[in-house]
Amino acid sequence: VYDIGTGSGGWGNNELQYYTNRTENVKVENGNLIITARKENYGGMNYTSGRIKTKDRASWKYGKIEARIKIPTGQGIWPAFWMLGDNIDSVGWPKCGEIDIMEHVNNESVTHGTIHWDYNGYQYYGLQSGYLDFSQYHVYTIEWDSSAIKWFVDGNQFCEANITINDTNEFHN
């Protein structure tokens, strides 16, 4: 399903784009999902993009989740592949837990693997992958079980979070 709009209702991060469901921003072509950010005036914003989610469509607890992704770089670009807890509507963020399988910020030469949860107000844990050539596809993966979340790029582990400490119940729901 699509998130449409600017995120001003609580799901955005003060982004500068208007999220649409238009094929100019989100389409499937030759078996690839293509999400395109465009510089254009739309919905009162100067940029458009796409934001899609599996909320109320599919859910996971533990397992191996991965995607083969080619991402852009540039100032103001922040592509991400991430998950929120199913209970976000009832408990809010960060109490629902968040697992960022891959985030890439601007022109950095690395990606980030991160978790967010509510422990004494809010906690953050994340590390960076090694240097990557973003002109190529890479496979971003987590392996998630009852004791840990492990992050990989192209089969190489770069991060591990112990989810049996620091009141990390969010990652067991």
Side-chain angles (χ1 to χ4, degrees), residues 49-97:
S49 187
R51 179 179 164 121
I52 58 173
K53 59 189 179 182
T54 60
K55 184 178 180 190
D56 300 326
R57 300 278 197 274
S59 180
W60 299 267
K61 177 181 176 180
Y62 308 141
K64 181 176 183 177
I65 295 103
E66 68 182 1
R68 182 175 170 263
I69 303 172
K70 183 176 178 182
I71 60 175
T73 62
Q75 187 60 36
I77 304 288
W78 195 321
F81 172 40
W82 52 288
M83 302 185 298
L84 292 172
D86 286 341
N87 59 350
I88 188 169
D89 291 336
S90 61
V91 302
W93 185 91
K95 290 182 180 183
C96 66

Side-chain angles (χ1 to χ4, degrees), residues 17 37 47 71-80 104-108:
Q17 72 268 0
Y47 303 90
I71 60 175
T73 62
Q75 187 60 36
I77 304 288
W78 195 321
H104 179 258
V105 182
N106 298 317
N107 292 310
E108 292 182 349

Side-chain angles (χ1 to χ4, degrees), residues 11-46:
W11 50 263
N13 290 316
N14 299 315
E15 293 132 356
L16 300 178
Q17 72 268 0
Y18 190 98
Y19 290 112
T20 82
N21 62 354
R22 303 177 312 151
T23 57
E24 293 93 330
N25 298 111
V26 181
K27 63 184 173 183
V28 175
E29 186 174 279
N30 298 321
N32 291 310
L33 170 64
I34 301 171
I35 301 173
T36 304
R38 298 170 50 103
K39 185 174 184 175
E40 63 179 331
N41 293 324
Y42 190 93
M45 305 300 277
N46 293 323

Side-chain angles (χ1 to χ4, degrees), residues 118-132:
D118 186 33
Y119 175 62
N120 293 329
Y122 169 70
Q123 291 294 314
Y124 157 89
Y125 174 87
L127 289 175
Q128 302 177 67
S129 69
Y131 296 100
L132 299 172

Side-chain angles (χ1 to χ4, degrees), residues 109-113 127-132 134 140 152-153 156 158:
S109 57
V110 298
T111 60
H112 301 265
L127 289 175
Q128 302 177 67
S129 69
Y131 296 100
L132 299 172
F134 292 114
Y140 300 93
F152 301 81
V153 175
N156 299 307
F158 71 91

